[in-house]
């Protein structure tokens, strides 16, 4: 999970440079190699590389373009499209643990890796359907070539470096606040998913029905993604962020309520709402990025955001494990997991207010909203993930 998010800034650069189609297909190929090679390894240390790094990095390259390409096809109903795509993954993630458990017992771990690698092989061909729809203008391409031709090799290299390794999205104050709030909130994000089953087994001695928790989380997350996508389309502008605010605050409160449950049924109820909050947070992320920075910089905005999420998201579970070892129970871990989402949600609530204040100031200064309104896609300009080499395909 850490590699999937850590590689995202690099993935955004490749997406803008070589396109969604090539990036996603290459990532799926790397993930396929990682899973297949994991089936031949006997050492856990080697699997740190083949499964943790190679498969994680490939998954990152395969995943992020699927968010960016939707901006080519949808605008008014981008939230619903994201909800359907994200919700579709839950159709697989819910039964997948049971499938893996059954297959693992039948054919062993090595062959299970090979079965999973076959799924990634299919993903390579599915990625070829990422077809950009906005063709470039021949004039704009010729102008760009003329400008580059008049520069020295060093100037051309520097120009290309600045183009694809720029930090323009961080010039927007609203984006900086939003990214900081999300990164703070996800510090305890994975703790419930990693510890709930063990907590139930230890607290309630429940080992036969613990699978219900996974089903509740996955099913309600899928429902939340579908519903939040449709609701997000009905909410104008940056007010969509309030959906994330509510979902993060509730996520934090629910995490801290887990140790208060006196029965297994109470944990099930909390899992239902946890999954719903997860769905609301996940789906609305891409539409908010498009609102904050516009379609031309959405790829890098999503990439940098996920890169910022990598460290806290990865660090949360080891911290929770340390607390569990120190206090010899999971209560402190769940209390710890509940605090960051609440703080992050409160930070996110500031974004629309700052946006409105900056908008008013901009109107007073010039009467024109040049910096905050999402850039319109003009004729001849390419959307992210649509290089000139793919535009005519």
């Amino acid at each position: 999970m850490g590699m999937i998010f850590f590689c995202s800034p690099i993935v955004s650069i490749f997406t803008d440079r070589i396109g969604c189609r090539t990036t996603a297909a290459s990532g799926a190929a790397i993930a396929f190699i990682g899973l297949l090679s994991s089936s031949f390894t006997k050492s856990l240390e080697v699997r740190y590389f083949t499964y943790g790094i190679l498969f994680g990095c490939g998954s990152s390259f395969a995943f992020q373009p699927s968010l960016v390409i939707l901006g080519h096809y949808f605008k008014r109903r981008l939230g619903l499209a994201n909800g359907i795509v994200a919700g579709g993954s839950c159709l697989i993630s819910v039964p997948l643990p049971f499938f893996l458990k059954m297959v693992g017992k039948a054919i062993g771990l090595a062959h299970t890796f090979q079965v999973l690698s076959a799924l990634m092989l299919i993903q390579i061909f599915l990625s070829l359907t990422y077809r950009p729809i906005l063709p470039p203008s021949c004039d704009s391409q010729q102008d760009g070539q003329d400008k580059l031709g008049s520069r020295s090799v060093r100037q051309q290299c520097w120009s290309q470096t600045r183009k694809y390794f720029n930090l323009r999205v961080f010039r927007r104050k609203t984006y900086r606040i939003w990214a900081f709030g999300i990164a703070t909130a996800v510090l305890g994000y994975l703790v419930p998913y990693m510890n709930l089953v063990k907590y139930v087994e230890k607290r309630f001695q429940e080992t036969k029905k613990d699978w219900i928790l996974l089903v509740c989380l996955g099913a309600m997350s899928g429902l939340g993604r579908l519903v939040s996508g449709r609701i997000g389309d009905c909410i104008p502008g940056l007010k969509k962020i309030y959906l994330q605010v509510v979902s993060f605050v509730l996520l934090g409160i629910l995490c801290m309520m887990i140790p208060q449950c006196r029965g297994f049924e109470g944990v099930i109820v909390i899992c239902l709402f946890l999954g719903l909050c997860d769905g609301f947070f996940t789906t609305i992320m891409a539409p908010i990025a498009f609102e904050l920075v516009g379609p031309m910089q959405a790829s890098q905005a999503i990439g940098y955001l996920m890169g910022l999420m990598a460290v806290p998201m990865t660090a949360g579970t080891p911290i929770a494990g340390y607390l569990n070892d120190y206090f010899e129970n999971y209560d402190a871990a769940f209390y710890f997991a509940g605090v960051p989402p609440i703080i992050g949600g409160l930070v996110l609530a500031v974004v629309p207010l700052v946006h409105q204040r900056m908008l008013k100031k901009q109107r007073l200064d010039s009467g024109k909203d040049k910096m905050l309104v999402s850039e319109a896609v003009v004729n001849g300009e390419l959307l992210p993930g649509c290089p000139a080499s793919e535009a005519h395909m």
Side-chain angles (χ1 to χ4, degrees):
M1 289 298 295
M3 285 300 300
I4 290 175
F5 286 88
F6 182 75
C7 293
S8 292
I10 302 174
V11 176
S12 66
I13 296 170
F14 276 88
T15 301
D16 289 344
R17 181 64 176 172
I18 64 177
C20 293
R21 178 192 298 163
T22 306
T23 302
S26 302
I30 294 173
F32 165 75
I33 294 172
L35 281 174
L36 187 61
S37 58
S38 296
S39 66
F40 298 104
T41 60
K42 303 297 182 182
S43 169
L44 181 62
E45 287 75 13
V46 177
R47 285 199 180 119
Y48 287 157
F49 172 74
T50 59
Y51 187 81
I53 296 179
L54 203 59
F55 173 61
C57 181
S59 297
S60 181
F61 275 75
F63 167 67
Q64 189 177 323
S66 68
L67 300 178
V68 177
I69 194 64
L70 293 177
H72 285 255
Y73 306 132
F74 301 95
K75 183 177 181 181
R76 186 167 60 90
R77 296 185 177 179
L78 180 60
L80 179 59
N82 270 281
I84 293 174
V85 172
S89 65
C90 292
L91 296 178
I92 300 297
S93 62
V94 171
L96 187 62
F98 310 106
F99 170 77
L100 292 178
K101 189 174 183 179
M102 178 182 65
V103 172
K105 289 182 178 179
I107 62 177
L109 180 61
H111 293 299
T112 302
F113 275 127
Q114 294 172 4
V115 171
L116 291 175
S117 68
L119 297 179
M120 293 308 303
L121 183 63
I122 296 173
Q123 176 66 25
I124 298 175
F125 298 100
L126 295 178
S127 301
L128 299 179
T129 63
Y130 293 175
R131 181 175 178 269
I133 62 174
L134 186 64
S137 168
C138 295
D139 295 336
S140 64
Q141 289 185 54
Q142 187 63 40
D143 292 342
Q145 292 174 0
D146 292 341
K147 290 179 181 179
L148 286 176
S150 62
R151 300 175 181 177
S152 65
V153 175
R154 179 180 297 180
Q155 289 175 329
Q156 291 182 27
C157 293
W158 176 245
S159 175
Q160 293 298 310
T161 301
R162 290 185 61 186
K163 180 178 179 181
Y164 295 105
F165 288 86
N166 67 79
L167 299 173
R168 285 179 296 176
V169 292
F170 287 101
R171 297 176 186 174
R172 299 172 184 264
K173 187 176 182 179
T174 49
Y175 176 80
R176 294 198 303 268
I177 298 173
W178 181 62
F180 174 76
I182 296 273
T184 302
V186 298
L187 179 59
Y189 179 74
L190 291 178
V191 174
Y193 298 94
M194 298 295 291
N195 295 285
L196 261 176
V197 172
K198 290 290 185 181
Y199 169 76
V200 168
E201 291 177 356
K202 184 177 180 180
R203 178 76 178 271
F204 305 109
Q205 286 76 46
E206 186 63 70
T207 58
K208 295 182 178 180
K209 297 181 180 179
D210 52 9
W211 58 269
I212 298 178
L213 302 179
L214 301 176
V215 173
C216 291
L217 285 169
M220 290 304 293
S221 179
L223 178 63
R225 296 177 188 192
L226 290 172
V227 173
S228 63
R230 187 68 185 93
I231 294 175
D233 289 334
C234 299
I235 301 176
L238 287 180
K239 292 183 179 179
K240 294 181 178 68
I241 290 182
Y242 289 124
L243 287 177
Q244 284 190 325
V245 173
V246 174
S247 64
F248 275 133
V249 172
L250 285 178
L251 196 68
I253 295 174
L254 290 168
C255 283
M256 291 189 288
M257 288 177 60
I258 292 175
Q260 305 300 321
C261 294
R262 295 292 179 258
F264 179 66
E265 293 76 13
V267 181
I268 292 178
V269 174
I270 288 180
C271 285
L272 293 173
F273 287 98
L274 275 176
L276 198 64
C277 293
D278 170 76
F280 270 72
F281 152 65
T282 304
T283 302
I284 211 68
M285 187 166 62
I288 290 176
F290 275 83
E291 290 284 350
L292 282 170
V293 301
M296 301 308 300
Q297 300 181 51
S299 174
Q300 298 219 0
I302 295 173
Y304 286 130
L305 172 66
M306 296 177 74
L308 290 172
M309 293 167 59
V311 174
M313 183 174 282
T314 307
T317 47
I319 294 174
Y322 172 79
L323 293 174
N324 176 46
D325 291 340
Y326 185 81
F327 292 101
E328 297 183 351
N329 62 63
Y330 287 96
D331 293 1
F334 287 120
Y335 288 133
F336 155 76
V339 175
I342 295 176
I343 296 175
L346 296 177
V347 172
L348 293 180
V350 179
V351 176
L353 303 178
V354 173
H355 176 76
Q356 289 297 325
R357 184 183 302 174
M358 296 176 67
L359 199 59
K360 290 179 181 179
K361 182 180 179 181
Q362 188 73 16
R363 286 172 179 171
L364 290 174
D365 291 342
S366 63
K368 296 179 180 180
D369 185 11
K370 296 180 180 178
M371 299 298 294
L372 300 177
V373 174
S374 298
E375 295 90 345
V377 180
V378 297
N379 185 30
E381 190 174 10
L382 292 177
L383 281 172
C386 181
S389 60
E390 287 190 0
H392 296 292
M393 293 184 180

